[in-house]
Amino acid sequence: MGDLTSKTVLLFFSNKKRVLQLDYDPSIFLNNLYRLTSFQCSLSCNMVGIHNGQPKQMGLKELLQGIVVGLDNLDAVIRILRESSSNAIASSGLRSGELP
């Protein structure tokens, strides 16, 4: 941590010292940060959900729709989970369509 009461802040990019004024344009700063560092990177993920009892690769929209259904019926989901004596019973209760 540096003392930010002065007019300049020193940043280090790729072993090169650069001086940044506090009134520096934030968009220029971010563009330089993305260009000179690995701050911005891409990431791939394998999104798998359960559909009809089988694992299936799904898009983000499909997974989010499933989460919304669960949240819309949260009270029923909690009731089924609390009343179930085992994981298998809870799982079959959630799949059986007891949700409103």
Side-chain angles (χ1 to χ4, degrees):
M1 295 292 269
D3 180 10
L4 298 179
T5 58
S6 67
K7 291 289 181 188
T8 60
V9 177
L10 296 178
L11 295 177
F12 296 91
F13 294 113
S14 304
N15 297 326
K16 295 180 183 177
K17 190 186 303 183
R18 297 189 184 247
V19 178
L20 173 66
Q21 299 293 330
L22 288 180
D23 61 348
Y24 198 71
D25 182 12
S27 63
I28 294 174
F29 171 75
L30 279 177
N31 287 337
N32 285 332
L33 189 63
Y34 294 147
R35 184 173 54 86
L36 297 171
T37 67
S38 61
F39 187 71
Q40 183 179 16
C41 61
S42 63
L43 156 71
S44 61
C45 69
N46 189 9
M47 295 182 285
V48 177
I50 304 295
H51 181 69
N52 294 330
Q54 298 294 319
K56 177 184 174 189
Q57 190 166 3
M58 299 180 177
L60 181 60
K61 185 176 180 180
E62 291 173 284
L63 289 174
L64 290 177
Q65 286 172 343
I67 291 171
V68 167
V69 168
L71 290 175
D72 287 344
N73 299 294
L74 190 58
D75 291 333
V77 169
I78 292 171
R79 179 184 50 77
I80 291 170
L81 294 176
R82 284 187 177 161
E83 292 174 357
S84 302
S85 59
S86 70
N87 288 345
I89 293 171
S91 179
S92 67
L94 292 172
R95 288 188 208 157
S96 69
E98 291 182 30
L99 298 176

